[in-house]
Amino acid sequence: MNTKPFNWQPSKRLLIITGHFGSGKTNIAVNLAKIFAASGRKTTLIDFDTVNPYFRAADNIKSLERSGVKAIVPEYANTNLDLPTLPPEIYSVFKDEDPGSLAIFDVGGDDLGATPLGMFNPQITGSGYEMLYVVSMYRPLTASAEDAARLLCDIEAASRLRVTAIVNNSNIGEATGRDSLIQSSEYIKQLCEITGLPLAFSATMLESGDFDGIEPLLQMADETKYLWKESAEADV
Amino acid sequence: MAKVLMKGNEAIAESAIRHGCLHYFGYPITPQTEIAEYMAKRMPKVGGVCLQAESEVAAINMVLGAASAGARAMTSSSSPGISLKCEGISYLIGSDLPCLIVNIQRGSPGLGSIQPSQQDYYQATKALGHGDSQVPVLAPSSVQELADLTGVAFDIGDKYRTPVMLLADGALGQMMEPVELAPEGQTVLPEKPWAANGHENKRKRNIINSLYIQPDVLEKIVLERYKRYEQIEENEIRCENYMTEDADVILVSYGITSRICKTAVGMARQKGIKAGLFRPITLWPYPKKQLMALADQAKKFLVVELNMGQMVDDVKVSIESKKPVHFFGRTGGMMPSPGDVLRAIESEGGVR
């Protein structure tokens, strides 16, 4: 794998990952958690998705634990109960005073998914946080910088928190081309201009591509569980 | 247009809009709620209507109203919600009204579970409404097919004046795949001279009705409708053959399960088992002739579904029970892995 060094670091102990549903939040959260755990940081991943019972971080719990990541998942995740609950263990991450620790929140999609962040507002603002907004130009409802910026505002209003930086995860799944990411440069530039926010990093699941000048670049493994593929055999 | 990345539910909604559907009536239920959410965001931008009804029953009757006036209309739900719509669906059939009904199935019966399932096969293909009736049922197996067959469903509905069901499941509705959508604003809707949309004293009034007091009149109407069903059987059957040319054991599977089966067929072939997959895309009308064409060559059939074997009889009837028909399935919202299907091929139908 032609991996470029990924030198981005969160500046705070709480890293909140938000965005449009289907923008790739969970995959980014799982990959980041594994990277930071591998670098020796005490890392916790919180499945904070109360919206969607399908395709969620809780699917990856075994591989996360093998990578040294502590996973906090809703009690009812991947059961038959469609209950929007959050695990009480979440409070433990606010009490953790180890400055080297990192808690990554994998938040549900859109403003709807970000709403429950509001109930932890005193704890989150008290501990200090960084909040990323993951976008993809190839998702129809955030295909223009204006629409993407509008959703970002909706998420901020719902969560009562501020986005601190943008993550460019522009991809078309299996149809992602070498130039799919670089094609989104102008879109991301516009989004940063409209919102006045910096780009934290870009992300891709391709091993190689037209990545010149794209930095920092998170080259990710695809952590999604595809039930119909041979790989579905693993981790069951 | 270039490819985009969409959830199955979103692809249905966007494709419906692009195929000229400007009237959506729904009620939320996991795992299809993204259809309603997407419609709520998009319809106001394209001058359409997205209305969250007070119940599933209200939603299907709003579809009846819009379709009566000649509009391309649709509703969507998941298994328990579809049961609530069944009365309205029979009224739509009895009134010869075209519309699209999407069922993103979940575990059942009752309130069931929220995981993917194919337990509504009987309901969809045998008795979606009360009375002598059939509804064309399309079973996509990818996000691209969800988008494409949404357009096909509207066209079949208009051509034969019938409700059409798009039958998928929670996994297809929730998963994301690249999809190429139909271009925007290019659908030309057919004339509907029967629509009750105002005669302006220029023509005879049109009446949309499913109540016929005189039984001889009703019989004639039903017989005429069954002539149209014959045409649908003649013209609209769709299916896919995957590695069946030399197959000894033929899997029969549709929707998300056919994806698992394709992987299992590849795994079986690596072990020297000549496996293949027959995938019905229209579940009604069922591709009987196309399946019968494989009956002489195959040694065994293996039906794989996310239910207790609801399609097995259709397979037996299609091949006139010429060969043994085995079944493997999971139910309640559980999914088999490709390895589970491979083991079923080996134990039930495995022919080396």
Side-chain angles (χ1 to χ4, degrees), chain A residues 20-23 51-55 78-82 110-112 136-141 147 150-151 171-176 226-233 236, chain B residues 3-7 10 30-31 34 37-38 41-42 45 112-116 170-171 174-178 181 256 259-260 263 267 270 332 335-340 343:
Chain A
H20 182 32
F21 73 81
S23 60
V51 178
N52 193 327
Y54 284 80
F55 298 107
N78 296 345
T79 74
N80 276 350
L81 283 174
D82 189 8
D110 292 2
D111 44 332
L112 199 65
S136 169
M137 185 177 79
Y138 302 101
R139 294 281 293 137
L141 293 184
D147 284 344
R150 207 164 290 128
L151 180 61
N171 76 92
I172 326 171
E174 288 180 356
T176 305
Y226 301 99
L227 306 160
W228 53 92
K229 292 188 181 173
E230 261 182 84
S231 54
E233 293 300 294
V236 283
Chain B
K3 282 192 175 172
V4 290
L5 187 64
M6 294 187 98
K7 270 196 177 206
E10 296 178 300
T30 304
E34 292 84 3
E37 282 176 351
Y38 193 92
K41 285 190 175 133
R42 280 280 285 152
K45 292 187 180 170
S113 72
I114 57 170
Q115 272 74 24
Q174 294 293 329
M175 70 196 219
M176 297 188 69
E177 283 186 317
L181 295 157
I256 188 69
R259 303 272 293 259
I260 301 168
T263 306
M267 292 160 83
Q270 279 182 4
M335 293 277 267
S337 70
D340 293 336
R343 285 182 283 281

Side-chain angles (χ1 to χ4, degrees), chain B residues 25-27 53-64 75 77 80-89 92:
Chain B
F25 308 98
Y27 187 81
E54 65 269 36
S55 71
E56 286 87 348
V57 177
I60 193 73
N61 283 291
M62 289 173 184
V63 169
L64 192 147
T75 187
S77 192
I82 294 293
S83 288
L84 285 165
K85 291 182 194 290
C86 286
E87 181 199 43
I89 294 170
L92 280 151

